[in-house]
Amino acid sequence: MANDIRAVAWTGDALRLIDQTVLPGRVEHLDVRDTATLVDAIQRLAVRGAPALGVAGAFGVAVAMLEAERKRWPEAELDAAIARVRSARPTAVNLAAGVDRVLPLMREGTAAVLAEAQALLDEDVRGNRAIGRLGADWILARTGERPLRVLTHCNAGALATAGWGTALGVVRELHDRGRLELVYADETRPLLQGTRLTAWELRQAGIPYRVQTDGAAPSTILRGLVDVAVIGADRIAANGDTANKIGSLGVALACADAGIPFVVAAPWSTVDPATPTGAGIPIEERAAGEVLDGAAPDGARAFNPAFDVTPARLVTALVTETGVLEVSAGRTPLA
């Protein structure tokens, strides 16, 4: 079942999303036919993950075009609706890139936009498979013969992509080759993407795993219980600085101290050459209630960044669908 997970798909008249806010308790789909519903789904993380957001953004242009036709919008209103989709989450560069990819085809009609969006989806699935193979090859060439213990943070599996996964694509490939002992899945605060989503995907695939608190990850690494950490990315600056879900930086620091690889697995589209360093990556701050509700005293205030940035010097390798770049060694520039 896990290999067939499709977080984003076109049904013929709607954009169908797996509603990731109700997993793992139940599997429900949202059929999106208007841009307000799509923007809401993106912002409340019903659909999430940089590659999946890119595909959703591309199909979102078609959703807006069909909505404009039904409601007889003027061109300015259509443009405004597309802009709202494009900017619904600022950190993941793929969302805007997916919208931008299909914009030039609008003059050719909705069918042309849909065809290009589907092409993007298909490319992502093929790319994820390549990332899995290349990442496993690179890791196995640098580790011993015994099955590996892998740590991952957040969810970079089929649910975060068009299918298969980036970081979890590497994990799946190691499992298929019989070289995986255990996955440590960080719970990933505040919305528990690791507990709810990564654990669900690993269970579906029959991969052994343990969920741990985010705060336990550095200790697990420094105790010698982890051979490699593999994460995804929402945006990678031109110098290799990498934005991922908050807590990734602590994992990278622990890996550096322990002397084990910290691997980022992401499609090349996640690299943003227009952003020279991580200092230029916008960091989304989410609602205080995600941290405070039900636990904090009255009047407490929250600081709730959704992402952090890992400096390039801590990124051992970046695995893309085109190859592996050894970022911290400075052997291959990204831009």
Side-chain angles (χ1 to χ4, degrees), residues 181-272:
E181 177 182 326
L182 180 67
V183 177
Y184 290 99
D186 291 354
E187 62 182 351
T188 317
R189 292 285 175 168
L191 298 183
L192 303 179
Q193 286 95 322
T195 302
R196 297 187 303 104
L197 306 180
T198 297
W200 182 78
E201 287 199 47
L202 292 171
R203 181 176 182 274
Q204 297 294 329
I207 296 174
Y209 69 92
R210 298 288 185 273
V211 175
Q212 66 178 356
T213 64
D214 292 352
S219 174
T220 303
I221 292 167
L222 292 175
R223 288 174 63 193
L225 301 178
V226 176
D227 300 300
V228 59
V230 186
I231 68 165
D234 286 83
R235 186 183 302 213
I236 301 169
N239 72 336
D241 293 349
T242 297
N244 193 55
K245 196 72 176 68
I246 190 74
S248 300
L249 176 56
V251 172
L253 288 165
C255 286
D257 193 80
I260 67 170
F262 178 81
V263 177
V264 175
W268 190 254
S269 59
T270 307
V271 177
D272 181 10

Side-chain angles (χ1 to χ4, degrees), residues 67-146:
E67 184 179 10
E69 183 178 338
R70 291 194 310 271
K71 298 179 178 178
R72 299 185 179 182
W73 281 349
E75 184 176 346
E77 192 162 353
L78 171 60
D79 291 344
I82 292 171
R84 287 192 292 274
V85 172
R86 189 182 186 277
S87 61
R89 293 195 73 195
T91 302
V93 70
N94 298 62
L95 175 58
V99 171
D100 293 346
R101 173 163 167 169
V102 301
L103 283 180
L105 297 170
M106 289 179 64
R107 66 178 68 92
E108 299 178 28
T110 306
V113 170
L114 286 170
E116 190 65 16
Q118 184 64 45
L120 176 59
L121 186 155
D122 295 340
E123 288 169 17
D124 187 60
V125 175
R126 291 194 300 271
N128 289 344
R129 294 279 186 168
I131 287 169
R133 292 190 298 271
L134 292 166
D137 288 345
W138 188 91
I139 290 168
L140 292 175
R142 289 157 178 81
T143 54
E145 291 299 317
R146 67 174 182 78

